[in-house]
Amino acid sequence: MCSPFVKKSELIMEGENSRMSIVMIPFLAHGHISPFLELAKQLAKRRFSMYLCSTPINLASIKNRIHENDNIQLIELHLPSSPELPPRYHSTNGLPSHLNLILQQALEKAAPLFVNILKDIKPDLVIYDLMPSWPAEVALSLDIPAVYFLVSAAAICCQGLHFYKKADKNLVTVGQLVHNSSETGDNNTRNIMEWLDNKEKSSVVFVCFGSENYLSAEEVIEMAYALEKSKCSFIWALRSPHGEDDGCLLLPEGFVERVGDSGLILKGWAPQTMILGHSSTGCFLSHCGWSSINESMKFGVPIIGMPMKMDQPTNAKLVVEIGVGIEIVRDHEGKFKSGEILKIIRMVLMKESGESLRRKAGELSLKIKEKGEEDLDKAAEELEKLCRKKKEIY
């Protein structure tokens, strides 16, 4: 991993000087860093030298996805450390909820460090995220153009621009940015794949709510009852809202023993793309984060929507509208109940009622593959124009 301040001349191989250089700074969440990395890979294939800037703990989580010839360098951004926010908490993944604001405040104080990084690398462009608030201002102060990369659905972006009456912005789509995991993984991943190998095709419910969403203790109970009563096979990535991986402590007594080999409980992290890509996975019970939807659609897996916050309700409605999923309806108190969860699981997994969802999800997956990388080619052209315009001016 690179040190925070590395000379640009030391990072670009001989003969690569014709490449434009881009520094990317995503928000400190896996759901943001992953698409930023996939975009970096695609732009690197299109004659850009890419620099991905984040905290050491976040960079450590993706370094094994970068190869020596990828033309991607990892640049460490060291946040101000404190006893309540040690470096292991410089990420939203596994962050106790009471530290969210403190992490955001620490990130806001890191602008001077980013200035030094930009002065050292002298990039042609900066690509930034929703947070922190300062990358565009810092870049422009150094006469470096800055582009905002929204990792949510295009519909969310258009909605925001319309609301703020700024629909004159130039929007460029990049298509799907899904990590294509070809590695066999560690022993835990291999055990999961072996478990799936022993299940019937399209018979398993995959339950996962991303790295920043948690079920309450009451919702864990409701979900457990629904899965048990469904008699289906399931994989459940279960996390605690208190920054602990062992959300299993919230399960009903005897639940694990009663479901036996029909259920596989994962404590925290799950190899999501590998699970979704397995033929035994029949549906994805998801919070409807945009990255999760993209991954599910890539593999043609229908979605059971259980949105919680931010863009997730809009994403869930989009999934329902295009016919590739069904949303679980909350009760009159705004809570998810086992009866409704059970009903939707049965609807999606049953051959008759779920056939249309599976067919449409499969058709969308084929369309995505057929379209290929057209959007990325166009996006790279637009970014190159912006970089060249900057060079002409300065």
Side-chain angles (χ1 to χ4, degrees):
M1 189 175 296
C2 295
S3 64
F5 310 116
V6 184
K7 293 296 183 184
K8 180 177 175 182
S9 59
E10 296 173 354
L11 295 176
I12 302 179
M13 297 182 295
E14 185 177 356
E16 294 293 301
N17 291 327
S18 61
R19 285 178 172 266
M20 301 290 185
S21 60
I22 298 177
V23 170
M24 310 177 87
I25 179 164
F27 179 53
L28 305 179
H30 181 75
H32 289 241
I33 293 170
S34 186
F36 263 75
L37 174 57
E38 293 308 310
L39 179 59
K41 288 183 177 181
Q42 294 298 331
L43 293 177
K45 291 193 299 186
R46 292 162 172 82
R47 297 193 62 77
F48 287 92
S49 291
M50 306 301 300
Y51 303 85
L52 186 60
C53 181
S54 191
T55 57
I57 187 70
N58 279 320
L59 296 181
S61 71
I62 61 170
K63 65 178 181 180
N64 64 345
R65 290 167 55 181
I66 299 174
H67 304 292
E68 188 175 352
N69 61 348
D70 277 346
N71 279 299
I72 300 174
Q73 297 289 338
L74 302 181
I75 308 297
E76 293 181 354
L77 181 69
H78 293 272
L79 303 187
S81 192
S82 65
E84 59 187 346
L85 194 72
R88 73 176 185 274
Y89 284 150
H90 291 178
S91 169
T92 62
N93 190 12
L95 182 73
S97 56
H98 70 279
L99 293 179
N100 278 324
L101 181 58
I102 296 174
L103 177 62
Q104 293 176 24
Q105 291 171 342
L107 184 58
E108 288 298 322
K109 295 176 182 177
L113 299 174
F114 191 65
V115 170
N116 291 332
I117 289 172
L118 294 185
K119 286 181 177 179
D120 198 63
I121 295 176
K122 298 180 176 63
D124 298 298
L125 183 74
V126 168
I127 296 180
Y128 64 98
D129 206 341
L130 179 65
M131 293 179 66
S133 64
W134 41 255
E137 182 180 353
V138 167
L140 294 175
S141 71
L142 298 174
D143 295 326
I144 302 171
V147 172
Y148 174 40
F149 174 36
L150 180 71
V151 299
S152 299
I156 299 296
C157 182
C158 293
Q159 183 183 43
L161 291 175
H162 177 74
F163 181 78
Y164 290 105
K165 302 186 185 301
K166 292 185 177 180
D168 57 335
K169 292 290 184 181
N170 186 19
L171 302 181
V172 180
T173 57
V174 295
Q176 279 201 322
L177 294 170
V178 176
H179 172 49
N180 189 13
S181 179
S182 57
E183 298 87 4
T184 56
D186 56 16
N187 288 333
N188 185 48
T189 300
R190 286 191 286 272
N191 290 337
I192 295 169
M193 294 299 106
E194 290 174 4
W195 184 88
L196 283 167
D197 289 340
N198 292 318
K199 303 302 177 184
E200 294 182 9
K201 182 179 180 180
S202 302
S203 65
V204 176
V205 179
F206 176 42
V207 184
C208 184
F209 298 95
S211 60
E212 297 181 59
N213 304 275
Y214 309 93
L215 298 180
S216 66
E218 180 183 353
E219 289 170 335
V220 169
I221 299 295
E222 296 293 328
M223 179 66 68
Y225 285 151
L227 291 171
E228 183 177 352
K229 291 178 182 177
S230 73
K231 304 295 183 183
C232 69
S233 296
F234 65 87
I235 296 178
W236 186 1
L238 183 57
R239 305 173 73 239
S240 163
H242 304 296
E244 304 166 353
D245 281 339
D246 196 1
C248 298
L249 298 174
L250 304 173
L251 289 170
E253 185 176 355
F255 171 77
V256 174
E257 291 75 16
R258 289 194 298 273
V259 298
D261 188 55
S262 294
L264 186 60
I265 306 294
L266 306 181
K267 298 179 181 180
W269 181 85
Q272 184 160 296
T273 54
M274 297 185 75
I275 293 172
L276 290 172
H278 198 285
S279 60
S280 294
T281 303
C283 66
F284 183 17
L285 204 165
S286 168
H287 63 301
C288 291
W290 189 239
S291 292
S292 291
I293 289 177
N294 272 312
E295 291 170 2
S296 199
M297 290 304 95
K298 176 178 180 177
F299 298 108
V301 177
I303 294 173
I304 296 177
M306 197 166 158
M308 299 180 180
K309 60 185 181 182
M310 299 177 71
D311 62 334
Q312 298 163 17
T314 301
N315 293 340
K317 288 178 173 55
L318 178 62
V319 164
V320 174
E321 181 67 23
I322 62 178
V324 296
I326 301 177
E327 183 178 352
I328 296 173
V329 178
R330 296 173 184 262
D331 70 1
H332 65 282
E333 295 181 348
K335 297 181 179 181
F336 292 111
K337 292 297 184 181
S338 62
E340 183 67 15
I341 298 172
L342 174 62
K343 181 181 76 173
I344 301 302
I345 288 175
R346 286 176 171 169
M347 286 176 61
V348 176
L349 282 189
M350 287 177 58
K351 290 185 178 180
E352 296 80 9
S353 57
E355 184 177 352
S356 175
L357 294 173
R358 286 189 291 274
R359 185 183 71 252
K360 289 185 178 180
E363 290 172 352
L364 183 56
S365 178
L366 286 175
K367 288 180 181 178
I368 290 169
K369 292 175 183 176
E370 289 171 358
K371 190 170 184 181
E373 299 180 351
E374 293 177 14
D375 286 338
L376 283 162
D377 289 336
K378 293 177 182 177
E381 289 177 10
E382 290 297 320
L383 293 178
E384 185 173 357
K385 289 178 184 177
L386 191 58
C387 291
R388 293 194 183 281
K389 183 178 179 181
K390 180 254 182 182
K391 285 181 177 292
E392 291 171 2
I393 294 175
Y394 300 108

